[in-house]
């Protein structure tokens, strides 16, 4: 009897796990379960909508969904529609690939104010996630404080700073794109609590901030005296040296050269947030919108025999999409080792009604067709019920 593996979470780490399993044991039966009726997790909802090159990885994942022994089981939430225990009984192994989708709190006064947004919610809104259809009111937003010095902070700052023309080929949801285009934005502050030598930006993403049509990137030259660390792994040292070089280029830019300024601030710890302002350890800044980009938490999942985890659910919220390939492949080897010594359970199979790959393809086609009419890669369907109706061919 062929073994049956459930992968919970249809994001990149889950698909790379499926890929690793099939490379090691072609013919294994794999069900990829997701609470959404759409696959691809963070690639669909978390990668910035203007980074279509990054999103192109879904073509590899989509090919896996065409394999006869791989099933997509969408619109099924483990813990609500089926218990973890039932899954363990039905499958020979369960791989948890649920990522991390809860914004970490800053833990300072004022962070519950309505103009303070976590990056997960903010980017999910830009990306048309059906649970996050309402975005911030940008009507009077001139100044934005983006907290954090990672690539997510750059994603948020960049999408706010880009002109409508620069966003024209993105799949930002129209209502978010229009709200950003209409906002009276003048200043975006990207705020790091440590010095620039500690920023976790990567070079390509940081350099992109220097090439925006309507925004000039600025940095205080006094903050850039730091040297990259003399020790540590070479790629990290090179990355940090490159960041400092790019930031020194920003420090040479002329303030006011473009209608919008993106200020890179360092050694500035957020202390308190009030309507229209944020207090940092270095002083107070205007901030009509605050977006915290300081990492994520995940939901707890059961541990135990036959349960494995991959991606951010296993490692925490660090690493790019390609990082997950090697990581998930290694876990897939562990799973295959575990299965090797066991007969298939061939247990009861209590999966509730779901959206399958054909349902997803109907959604995909509808979105791509709507996008084609506007010269965009797709226009996302953001309403749960509409997603389900399209998937069911109604
Ligand atoms: P990250 O790189 O870990 O950055 C988190 C930032 O939040 C750090 O600068 C951290 O500062 C700061 N921070 C944490 N707690 C804070 C607090 N209480 N107050 C102020 N600042 C605080 O994580 P990320 O930006 O969320 O990205 C997650 C992963 O996805 C990363 O591996 C990233 O490279 C990847 N990603 C890649 C891309 C891309 O390739 N284009 C795009 C988006 C995300 P400290 O360093 O001082 O802790």
């Amino acid at each position: 009897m062929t073994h049956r593996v459930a992968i919970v979470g249809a994001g990149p780490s889950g698909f790379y796990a499926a890929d690793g399993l099939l490379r090691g044991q072609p013919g294994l039966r794999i069900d990829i379960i997701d609470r959404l009726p759409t696959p691809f997790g963070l690639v669909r909802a978390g990668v910035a909508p203007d980074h279509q090159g990054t999103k192109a990885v879904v073509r590899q994942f989509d090919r896996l969904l065409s394999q006869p022994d791989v099933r997509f089981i969408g619109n099924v939430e483990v813990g609500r529609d089926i218990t973890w225990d039932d899954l363990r009984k039905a499958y020979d192994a369960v791989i948890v690939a649920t990522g991390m989708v809860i914004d970490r709190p800053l833990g300072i006064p004022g962070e519950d104010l309505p103009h303070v947004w976590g990056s997960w919610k903010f980017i999910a809104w830009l990306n048309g996630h059906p649970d996050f259809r309402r975005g911030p009111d940008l009507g009077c937003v001139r100044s934005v404080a983006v907290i954090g010095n990672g690539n997510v902070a750059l994603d948020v700052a960049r999408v706010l700073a880009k002109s409508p023309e620069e966003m024209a080929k993105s799949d930002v949801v129209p209502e978010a794109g229009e709200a950003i285009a209409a906002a009276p934005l003048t200043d975006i502050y990207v705020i790091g609590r440590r010095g620039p030598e500690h920023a976790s930006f990567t070079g390509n993403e940081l350099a992109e901030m220097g090439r925006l049509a309507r925004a000039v990137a600025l940095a205080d030259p006094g903050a850039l005296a730091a040297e990259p660390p003399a020790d540590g792994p070479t790629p990290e040292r090179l990355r940090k040296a490159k960041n400092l070089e790019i930031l020194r280029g920003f420090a040479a830019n002329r303030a006011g050269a473009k209608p919008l300024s993106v200020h890179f601030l360092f050694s500035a710890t957020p202390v308190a947030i009030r309507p229209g302002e944020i207090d940092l350890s270095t002083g107070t800044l205007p901030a009509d919108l605050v977006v915290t980009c300081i990492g994520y938490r995940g939901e707890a999942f059961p541990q135990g025999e036959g349960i494995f985890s991959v991606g951010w659910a296993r490692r925490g919220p660090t690493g790019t999409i390609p990082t997950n390939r090697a990581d998930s492949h290694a876990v897939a080897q562990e799973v295959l080792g575990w299965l090797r010594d066991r007969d298939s359970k061939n247990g009861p199979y209590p999966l509730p009604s779901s959206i399958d790959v054909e349902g997803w393809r109907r959604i995909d086609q509808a979105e791509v067709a709507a996008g084609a009419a506007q010269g965009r890669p797709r226009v996302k369907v953001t309403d749960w019920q509409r997603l389900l109706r399209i998937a069911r061919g109604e």
Side-chain angles (χ1 to χ4, degrees), residues 165-250:
E165 295 71 30
E166 287 171 307
M167 292 299 287
K169 302 279 181 225
S170 77
D171 65 353
V172 67
V173 287
E175 51 276 30
E178 284 157 20
I180 293 170
L185 286 166
T186 57
D187 296 276
I188 298 171
Y189 301 94
V190 179
I191 299 165
R193 64 177 168 178
R194 295 194 286 162
E197 70 279 22
H198 299 292
S200 52
F201 308 138
T202 47
N204 286 345
E205 281 64 27
L206 185 59
E208 194 181 351
M209 299 302 295
R211 297 192 298 265
L212 303 181
R214 66 168 186 170
V216 60
L218 302 169
D220 171 9
L224 301 172
E227 290 298 326
D231 48 11
T234 306
E236 268 299 275
R237 271 188 289 128
L238 292 176
R239 182 184 66 74
K240 290 179 174 186
K242 181 80 186 157
N243 277 352
L244 283 168
E245 184 193 318
I246 296 166
L247 288 163
R248 287 187 184 120
F250 294 173

Side-chain angles (χ1 to χ4, degrees), residues 106 149-152 155 193-194 200 205 293-294 312 317-319:
L106 262 175
N149 264 186
N151 283 331
V152 170
D155 282 347
R193 64 177 168 178
R194 295 194 286 162
S200 52
E205 281 64 27
C293 309
I294 61 165
W312 282 10
T318 59

